[in-house]
Amino acid sequence: MPSKDLSWKYIEQSVVEPDAIAAARVTADELGTDPVSPATGAQLALMTAAVGAKTIIEIGTGVGVSGLWMLKGAPDAHLTSIDIEADHQQAARRFFSDAGHPASRVRLITGAATEVLPRMNESSYDVVLVDAEPKGLIDLLEHAIRLVRVGGVVLVPHALWRDTVADPAKRESVTTDRRGIIAELSQSPAVHVALSPVGDGLLQIVKRSA
């Protein structure tokens, strides 16, 4: 099989990030967070635009890179973003403001997603993004699928986890968990599933039934 590296690099380099997102990416790198890649962000914007998202919930704020991309596709949406790092959210709040998103439409919740998500209303979000710590993804996905409406989208960046998921020799728990999730969802009649290679993988799940 020919190498896909050139195509991957071309796709990533073809994306022009708005100034606010580019600035947020610089801060994310300085703080050691792991933001979505430019091409992944562009795909997030495409998905929120495609479903006409009005309500978005994000697990893993970082400093706002993924949230900014989603709001680029759906600028009138209300975003709820959850993260345990208050300092990161403080930076994110500034970048959302710089990008012109009013505070009334960006709700940042500081806390553990596993404690916050059970209080959220079922089937009430158009898009749910799951980009948190690598462990515990299965539990967070269960919450995400519960929260998204029928026809809504659940998005999981880093689904190929640094190119380890495609390598059968890699047996670390994070890698095997992702393999299992992809295999299980691909066979589920309750969802449509697609896996994109942008960044280090973007898993896209459309909820078919409650």
Side-chain angles (χ1 to χ4, degrees), residues 116-197:
V116 175
L117 294 176
R119 303 197 297 266
M120 299 297 182
N121 292 329
E122 184 174 341
S123 301
S124 56
Y125 293 90
D126 300 310
V127 175
V128 181
L129 179 83
V130 182
D131 186 13
E133 290 296 320
K135 294 182 180 179
L137 178 59
I138 294 173
D139 291 339
L140 293 177
L141 266 178
E142 290 179 357
H143 282 297
I145 293 172
R146 178 183 66 83
L147 294 176
V148 76
R149 64 169 172 81
V150 173
V153 182
V154 176
L155 300 166
V156 186
H158 312 295
L160 295 175
W161 196 244
R162 299 167 183 168
D163 294 326
T164 61
V165 170
D167 184 351
K170 302 294 186 182
R171 305 298 301 173
E172 296 84 2
S173 61
V174 172
T175 300
T176 57
D177 282 351
R178 276 163 169 70
R179 281 197 200 109
I181 288 168
I182 292 167
E184 182 176 350
L185 289 172
S186 296
Q187 299 176 47
S188 172
V191 294
H192 293 294
V193 179
L195 181 59
S196 168

Side-chain angles (χ1 to χ4, degrees), residues 28-179:
D29 291 341
E30 290 172 349
L31 292 175
T33 65
D34 190 13
V36 298
S37 74
T40 303
Q43 200 152 348
L44 298 183
L46 180 71
M47 295 304 296
T48 56
V51 301
K54 299 298 182 185
T55 52
I56 302 169
I57 188 164
E58 175 183 44
I59 304 167
T61 309
V63 300
V65 174
S66 52
L68 288 165
W69 269 115
M70 289 190 290
L71 290 175
K72 184 176 186 295
D76 295 327
H78 285 77
L79 171 69
T80 299
S81 189
I82 305 164
D83 203 298
I84 60 172
E85 297 289 348
D87 291 346
H88 294 173
Q89 286 191 324
Q90 185 175 355
R93 193 181 305 278
R94 183 177 75 252
F95 290 122
F96 285 123
S97 177
D98 290 348
H101 300 295
S104 60
R105 291 209 293 266
V106 178
R107 180 188 182 196
L108 302 182
I109 300 175
T110 304
T114 52
E115 297 176 3
V116 175
L117 294 176
R119 303 197 297 266
M120 299 297 182
N121 292 329
E122 184 174 341
S123 301
S124 56
Y125 293 90
D126 300 310
V127 175
V128 181
L129 179 83
V130 182
D131 186 13
E133 290 296 320
K135 294 182 180 179
L137 178 59
I138 294 173
D139 291 339
L140 293 177
L141 266 178
E142 290 179 357
H143 282 297
I145 293 172
R146 178 183 66 83
L147 294 176
V148 76
R149 64 169 172 81
V150 173
V153 182
V154 176
L155 300 166
V156 186
H158 312 295
L160 295 175
W161 196 244
R162 299 167 183 168
D163 294 326
T164 61
V165 170
D167 184 351
K170 302 294 186 182
R171 305 298 301 173
E172 296 84 2
S173 61
V174 172
T175 300
T176 57
D177 282 351
R178 276 163 169 70
R179 281 197 200 109

